[in-house]
Amino acid sequence: MQTAVLDGGLVDPARDAAFAFRAALDALSRPGTIRQIDGAEAPAPCSPAAATMIVTLCDPTTPLYVAPSHDNEALREWITFQTGAPFAAAIDAVFAIGTWDALAPLGAYAGGTPAYPDRSATLIVEVPVLEAKGAVLAGPGIETKAQLNLPEVDAFQANRAQFPLGLDFFFTYGNRVAGLPRSTRVTEG
Amino acid sequence: MTDQAYNFAYLDEQTKRMIRRAILKGVAVPGYQVPFASREMPMPYGWGTGGVQVSAACLTPDDTLKVIDQGADDTTNAVSIRKFFEKTAEVAVTEKTSEASVIQTRHRIPEEPLTEDQILVYQVPIPEPLRFLEPSEVETRKMHSLEEYGLMYVKLYEDISRHGEIATAYAYPVKVEDRYVMDPSPIPKFDNPKMESAALQLFGAGREQRIYAVPPYTKVVSLDFEDHPFDPSKAPHPCALCGAEDSYLDEVITDDRGGRMFVCSDTDFCAGRRAAGFTGEMTNTRPAPVDTEAMA
Ligand SMILES: [Zn+2]
């Protein structure tokens, strides 16, 4: 085991995770807003934001799918040591991590059941840039409209069409995060 | 790290992660009840263990917490929850609505409009609005999944034919974002319009092990009928202490000869108005409040 596996976890786990969760909660509650989230450092190519999301939300009860963009031994070992989350295929995953292209297609993930729409995957999507422009967002959490540079529009419209089933998304870049719940209506900007 | 005997915010990290995941799914599906594995808390169920667990999962040391019990900051329940988090989560505490970043509440929404920088956490006794119509959890889940809410409307309409109006005054059911019928907890129906808010609203039911959410600016509509629209009105009195015409009032006994008056249930709101110079017809009396609510 490389020493890097032991490094990069939260320094003060309970308090750091509390701050990280609030950033994630704020991001998902107000789609389009971009929040700072950091504290954890994982092996490349995982961003600090995605690493912090993983240590804050994942544990031995949450199967994790690592998409090909992020599937390397160093990152897997780090995730195992820091969280104990078991690795799983996309269909069994509670969380997934990767770039947009590597995570596709969205049909590979569980979108919940009519009785339990919460039994659905949350995708942590690493993006090359995160900014409040581009696709137009409306729905819960948004007073009038918001904008976010989503990787595409069609996939999120198809996801919204399944509501209350569907997937939920966090977009991560550097030490920043934005959220997009299934409830958001997305149109071209 | 300090060498205290309990974890930050009391709950262990795995429990907080589980609650945090449930909260995020609740936010993603507004009004839908997410099951969670409720933990024993160092207070009895009636004291709002669901709300306490949601607060524990949300609080950071940067927060300023307010706790109200039917509008009041100074009841035993409110004081002990505030002290609990002051000690375990290292938060600042306040009685002022405008100063709080997290407000845990039992059965009221503060009069002062909440902001985008605030989270309101409700203590919920019975999260399932269909439970009194259908005892089976399997059946109520099916009814929610099929949007089969006809029975709920039938019940409300029976009220109208029996009493001439919808008699439900507390826990008046709402429909969230045109999808899920939701129990707003036993707040007075007067508070229902305030649920369309800039603040995030989270609901925790400890005994029933459910968490649900209303994100900011989410559409929340009280169930009604075209010929009997929802009426959030309250007792037609001004507050006897601050003169407010637009706040929810509690009836309090003023003497042992049956004298009574109506005062704001939101103690911070009332105190703020009095500090600003507003007066009511009994501003100079100091009654002992009594709990006039039918439900505990
Ligand atoms: Zn008053």
Side-chain angles (χ1 to χ4, degrees), chain B residues 24 71 109 134 161:
Chain B
L24 293 177
I109 298 176
E134 171 54 64
S161 30

Side-chain angles (χ1 to χ4, degrees), chain B residues 238-244 247-249 262-267 269-271 273-274:
Chain B
C239 171
L241 297 180
C242 77
S247 70
Y248 190 73
L249 305 174
F262 290 92
V263 299
C264 294
S265 123
D266 183 333
T267 52
F269 178 78
C270 195
R273 280 180 54 87
R274 279 178 279 149

Side-chain angles (χ1 to χ4, degrees), chain A residues 156-180:
Chain A
F156 299 102
Q157 291 178 338
N159 188 57
R160 178 64 180 80
Q162 298 180 57
F163 188 87
L165 306 191
L167 309 176
D168 306 307
F169 303 87
F170 287 97
F171 300 96
T172 50
Y173 167 69
N175 65 352
R176 295 188 298 166
V177 64
L180 193 85

Side-chain angles (χ1 to χ4, degrees), chain B residues 120-132:
Chain B
L120 184 60
V121 178
Y122 294 75
Q123 302 174 192
V124 182
I126 301 168
E128 178 50 76
L130 307 173
R131 183 63 68 229
F132 69 97

Side-chain angles (χ1 to χ4, degrees), chain A residues 25-40:
Chain A
L25 176 62
D26 207 28
L28 198 70
S29 303
R30 302 170 195 286
T33 63
I34 297 169
R35 295 284 174 229
Q36 185 177 326
I37 184 169
D38 49 23

Side-chain angles (χ1 to χ4, degrees), chain B residues 155-172:
Chain B
K155 190 267 171 194
L156 291 174
Y157 211 86
E158 279 172 359
D159 262 17
I160 295 171
S161 30
R162 200 172 306 144
H163 308 286
E165 59 178 358
I166 295 172
T168 304
Y170 297 90
Y172 190 105

Side-chain angles (χ1 to χ4, degrees), chain B residues 9-246:
Chain B
Y10 185 78
L11 295 171
D12 64 87
E13 289 309 292
Q14 181 150 353
T15 297
K16 275 185 282 186
R17 275 193 299 271
M18 175 268 295
I19 295 171
R20 285 166 178 162
R21 292 191 296 260
I23 291 172
L24 293 177
K25 288 301 174 190
V27 166
V29 191
Y32 163 74
Q33 302 162 50
V34 184
F36 81 110
S38 186
R39 293 291 188 267
E40 292 291 329
M41 297 300 287
M43 52 197 79
Y45 273 123
W47 285 39
T49 56
V52 167
Q53 289 176 86
V54 169
S55 293
C58 287
L59 288 170
T60 79
D62 287 354
D63 274 312
T64 300
L65 176 70
K66 171 183 165 83
V67 181
I68 48 172
D69 184 356
Q70 307 215 38
D73 297 85
D74 56 1
T75 70
T76 309
N77 186 357
V79 170
S80 65
I81 292 174
R82 211 157 54 226
K83 278 189 182 152
F84 175 74
F85 283 123
E86 198 173 15
K87 187 167 182 189
T88 63
E90 304 151 16
V91 295
V93 295
T94 185
E95 295 191 2
K96 286 202 162 48
T97 298
S98 60
E99 287 177 0
S101 54
V102 175
I103 301 171
Q104 185 175 325
T105 181
R106 176 175 171 275
H107 305 184
R108 273 312 309 278
I109 298 176
E111 303 291 356
E112 192 174 334
L114 301 181
T115 69
E116 293 201 346
D117 300 322
Q118 295 179 308
I119 299 176
L120 184 60
V121 178
Y122 294 75
Q123 302 174 192
V124 182
I126 301 168
E128 178 50 76
L130 307 173
R131 183 63 68 229
F132 69 97
L133 299 167
E134 171 54 64
S136 155
E137 172 72 11
V138 173
E139 287 303 315
T140 53
R141 287 221 162 244
K142 195 185 287 172
M143 290 161 76
H144 282 295
S145 72
L146 298 171
E147 293 185 71
E148 209 179 272
Y149 296 129
L151 271 180
M152 179 62 99
Y153 283 96
V154 168
K155 190 267 171 194
L156 291 174
Y157 211 86
E158 279 172 359
D159 262 17
I160 295 171
S161 30
R162 200 172 306 144
H163 308 286
E165 59 178 358
I166 295 172
T168 304
Y170 297 90
Y172 190 105
V174 296
K175 197 166 201 181
V176 179
E177 203 61 21
D178 297 319
R179 181 56 184 81
Y180 284 98
V181 167
M182 187 188 94
D183 184 308
S185 86
I187 58 173
K189 66 177 179 176
F190 172 80
D191 281 344
N192 275 24
K194 295 189 207 140
M195 299 188 79
E196 289 194 341
S197 173
L200 169 63
Q201 298 167 80
L202 302 175
F203 300 77
R207 189 182 48 224
E208 303 279 333
Q209 312 203 78
R210 294 290 182 273
I211 285 170
Y212 50 103
V214 174
Y217 309 114
T218 297
K219 186 176 172 189
V220 180
V221 176
S222 302
L223 301 187
D224 66 358
F225 303 92
E226 247 174 55
D227 53 343
H228 282 88
F230 174 71
D231 173 16
S233 64
K234 49 144 194 131
H237 313 277
C239 171
L241 297 180
C242 77
E245 305 264 1
D246 54 356

